[in-house]
Amino acid sequence: MPARVDGPIGLFDSGVGGLTVARAIADRLPGEQLLYFGDTAHLPYGDKSPEAIRGYSLAIAHHLVSLGAKAVVVACNSASSVAYEALVEALDVPVFNVIDPVVDEVARLGLERVGIWGTKATVKSGVFPSKLAKANAKIHVSAWATPLLVPVIEENILSGPILDAVINGYALPTEAENVDALLLACTHYPIVAKQIGQRLGEHVALLSTPQIVAEHVALELAKHGLLHTESLQRAAHQFVVSDFTPAFQAIAQQFFGEVIELREDHLWA
Ligand code: DGL
């Protein structure tokens, strides 16, 4: 089935993290309808094996395409690390990951001492260091698995002593490395970028990864002739989860500033 220009842009993540990317795409492309899938039944992805993450990703992406998605954004670094190639092979709509545009931006900025915070799955995959080294042979990359940020954010704990303790624990080894930039290589983390930035100080640049991805998606959809024209009215965004959680509803509403309708689709019933 050929991708339809008036179809939604599909996105998925294990939970609310991909909403950072969805929000950036909604800001960059206000005429586009979004179809977001949060795989809350399998959260967190970062602890799962590459095979499990690939299996979930393929099922969700096929589901998004069956619902009319004209493109799929893998709004999750863990899935982008281990499932992107399989998704490109399996789908006949454009597929975007959240890693390549960020790697290109790091190379463009000429950053040389780069730190990475990501899930265990992302760090273990080694995808970021290997792509960054290909983009800039002089780069020095240090990567840390910082998985506790995910459940804290999913709990909607976005300030206060619990969040501060987790950030502080992860900041200590990061500071010792003297990085000049930190990549928030998990789509959940930009939700608390301000708190991370305050802890690490101004000498460590935090890249706005959701905006970098949104810009890339906009350019690529235009190249594929898949952008809605300004005059078209878009349908309401759709939010789907594999297991309903009140926290997802609350965070999605904070992100989109409107009452969202959340639906549960059981892909693994
Ligand atoms: N937001 C996801 C990522 O970018 C997944 C976090 C998780 O579920 O562990 O890696």
Side-chain angles (χ1 to χ4, degrees):
M1 199 172 51
R4 288 174 48 130
V5 114
D6 58 350
I9 299 173
L11 303 103
F12 75 91
D13 179 43
S14 57
V16 297
L19 292 171
T20 57
V21 179
R23 181 69 256 180
I25 292 178
D27 290 341
R28 177 64 182 78
L29 299 170
E32 297 292 336
Q33 183 198 11
L34 305 182
L35 167 60
Y36 185 93
F37 192 101
D39 191 10
T40 40
H42 295 121
L43 178 90
Y45 273 11
D47 289 349
K48 306 287 187 303
S49 66
E51 294 72 27
I53 298 172
R54 259 196 299 279
Y56 303 148
S57 301
L58 283 164
I60 295 166
H62 282 301
H63 185 56
L64 292 172
V65 172
S66 77
L67 294 172
K70 62 182 171 184
V72 171
V73 180
V74 186
C76 170
N77 284 267
S78 309
S80 292
S81 295
V82 301
Y84 175 64
E85 277 78 18
L87 290 166
V88 170
E89 205 168 299
L91 301 180
D92 47 16
V93 300
V95 186
F96 304 107
N97 67 59
V98 289
I99 296 176
D100 291 325
V102 174
V103 167
D104 290 346
E105 183 66 5
V106 171
R108 195 185 68 78
L109 294 171
L111 298 169
E112 291 196 347
R113 292 190 63 82
V114 175
I116 293 174
W117 283 12
T119 66
K120 284 185 264 183
T122 298
V123 171
K124 213 164 148 203
S125 77
V127 166
F128 264 101
S130 110
K131 288 193 169 182
L132 285 166
K134 264 189 214 137
N136 173 5
K138 284 200 290 185
I139 204 158
H140 177 277
V141 182
S142 314
W144 294 273
T146 52
L148 290 178
L149 285 167
V150 174
V152 172
I153 292 167
E154 287 283 336
E155 275 300 318
N156 211 3
I157 298 176
L158 306 183
S159 62
I162 296 177
L163 179 67
D164 291 347
V166 173
I167 292 176
N168 193 42
Y170 291 142
L172 295 171
T174 308
E175 277 170 334
E177 253 337 277
N178 273 326
V179 296
D180 51 25
L182 180 68
L183 300 188
L184 301 182
C186 169
T187 51
H188 280 73
Y189 303 170
I191 296 175
V192 293
K194 203 173 93 204
Q195 290 83 348
I196 296 172
Q198 276 165 356
R199 173 62 184 77
L200 289 175
E202 275 170 15
H203 55 284
V204 180
L206 292 187
L207 299 192
S208 281
T209 44
Q211 283 71 25
I212 294 167
V213 172
E215 190 57 35
H216 175 76
V217 169
L219 292 175
E220 287 299 310
L221 286 181
K223 268 193 218 159
H224 285 88
L226 284 175
L227 274 189
H228 246 165
T229 60
E230 291 300 319
S231 58
L232 287 171
Q233 272 302 90
R234 75 161 171 82
H237 299 317
Q238 290 184 47
F239 298 87
V240 187
V241 287
S242 50
D243 191 27
F244 181 82
T245 64
F248 186 101
Q249 175 105 29
I251 298 177
Q253 261 163 230
Q254 282 162 27
F255 259 83
F256 281 84
E258 58 193 74
V259 177
I260 62 143
E261 240 178 76
L262 190 56
R263 185 175 88 225
E264 221 176 28
D265 282 0
H266 296 280
L267 305 190
W268 295 274

